[in-house]
Amino acid sequence: MALCAPSISVRICTSTGLQRRRFAPSSRTLKPRATAAVETKSPTAVGGGGDGKLLLEVKDLSAVIAESKKTILRGVNLSIHEGEVHAVMGKNGSGKSTFAKVLVGHPDYEITGGSITYKGQDLLEMDPEERAIAGLFMSFQSPVEIPGVSNIDFLNMAYNARRRKLGLPELGPIEFYGYVAPKLELVGMKIDFLNRNVNEGFSGGERKRNEILQLAVLGAELAILDEIDSGLDVDALRDVAKSVNGLLTSQNSVLLITHYLRLLEFIKPTYIHIMENGRIVKTGDISLAEILEKEGYKAISSA
Ligand code: ADP
Ligand code: MG
């Protein structure tokens, strides 16, 4: 979720990809452009090839856990263009969440090699807050609770933090309520959700919806969604996927981490990547996820 510290003095540091431009209300389904699974053993960045501008380019990225210096990422290559949906799949422990967290500047990790360019800028030179202001949003695999802070106050605070940075007027509580209320419908949440403390007592599904509500309120050019399908029943999954689709435009992109084909049947990916041992070892289209579903990772493993 969108913060570093679970306290009222929250430093908005990761997922406040705020509203530079509103997301289009209509849904847009992106067609897979890659037709066959391809191996990606060369250091050349993979993905891309779309019509949109290059948004993110990751080259040979390696990273260690800051505390133990254990290597987790071992040369990740990935390019994302505007309007593309990229799914990253892979066994538990392959480095998917680490990759996502490194993108938003999580302090648990240190970069030991490679580069990340975002909208033409060196992302690694930007602190987490600057990344958020530049439109990077991440929904965490396990969103944290913030006792004592209501959802609406939190959202209002996060929204205004970015408005301030962008030199835009802040919205007071009443104006903000008018802005946020219609968005609840998009994520299938009732109005009383706004008055509950952030994630406190929320079910798994409610937490995930809440993450998407944050994305809807704050906006993002690149939304990184880590296992938004975990803990969801099929109906909730469909709702959450529908909300994500409702936020897609030809200008923004999504990096979706998932284990399941069923999410990708709702949110159509442009590309699917397989992560293994800290690297993207294969890139392809939906057929890669279909093989995975039927035969497991051994069918596509590079080992
Ligand atoms: P995935 O999301 O693909 O399941 P992760 O990126 O969460 O994988 O983790 C990759 C490996 O790095 C795992 O062995 C995990 O235990 C370890 N790891 C990731 N982050 C940390 C951390 N902050 N402290 C210690 N170990 C970590
Ligand atoms: Mg993970």
Side-chain angles (χ1 to χ4, degrees), residues 97 141 226-227:
S97 295
Q141 198 171 335
D226 194 357
E227 298 204 21

Side-chain angles (χ1 to χ4, degrees), residues 57-262:
E57 190 173 35
V58 179
K59 280 190 181 162
D60 280 333
L61 185 73
S62 50
V64 298
I65 295 168
E67 208 175 79
S68 65
K69 307 294 176 214
K70 185 182 166 205
T71 302
I72 306 296
L73 302 182
R74 302 162 196 274
V76 179
N77 289 293
L78 177 71
S79 294
I80 299 181
H81 291 76
E82 286 179 347
E84 292 178 345
V85 176
H86 289 244
V88 177
M89 305 181 84
K91 282 186 199 164
N92 284 332
S94 57
K96 304 180 299 296
S97 295
T98 299
F99 177 49
K101 286 189 270 183
V102 159
L103 289 177
V104 292
H106 198 290
D108 280 0
Y109 308 96
E110 256 172 45
I111 308 300
T112 48
S115 63
I116 311 177
T117 310
Y118 174 72
K119 295 201 285 191
Q121 280 180 282
D122 182 355
L123 193 74
L124 298 175
E125 288 292 312
M126 296 160 76
D127 67 30
E129 196 175 352
E130 289 170 331
R131 297 181 198 201
I133 288 162
L136 264 189
F137 174 98
M138 176 171 175
S139 87
F140 284 73
Q141 198 171 335
S142 314
V144 298
E145 293 182 9
I146 314 180
V149 180
S150 72
N151 231 353
I152 189 155
D153 286 348
F154 170 73
L155 288 169
N156 199 349
M157 211 158 56
Y159 183 72
N160 280 341
R162 192 177 186 211
R163 301 266 300 180
R164 266 197 307 278
K165 290 275 180 191
L166 296 175
L168 298 167
E170 297 181 24
L171 294 191
I174 294 169
E175 285 166 291
F176 184 72
Y177 182 82
Y179 168 71
V180 77
K183 299 193 183 298
L184 286 168
E185 205 179 319
L186 182 81
V187 294
M189 281 158 84
K190 297 215 173 74
I191 209 89
D192 65 354
F193 246 81
L194 290 177
N195 294 322
R196 289 174 64 183
N197 290 344
V198 180
N199 287 325
E200 212 175 45
F202 283 19
S203 70
E206 288 169 341
R207 284 180 189 225
K208 298 295 169 173
R209 285 174 200 256
N210 207 30
E211 294 282 296
I212 303 304
L213 178 66
Q214 288 174 20
L215 173 59
V217 167
L218 302 173
E221 269 127 303
L222 179 59
I224 304 167
L225 308 176
D226 194 357
E227 298 204 21
I228 46 160
D229 45 359
S230 73
L232 299 188
D233 60 40
V234 168
D235 290 341
L237 179 76
R238 192 178 293 116
D239 286 353
V240 164
K242 214 170 97 192
S243 335
V244 172
N245 281 332
L247 296 172
L248 286 173
T249 72
S250 57
Q251 264 101 51
N252 57 41
S253 311
V254 176
L255 182 64
L256 204 59
I257 296 172
T258 182
H259 283 292
Y260 300 108
L261 176 63
R262 59 177 192 176

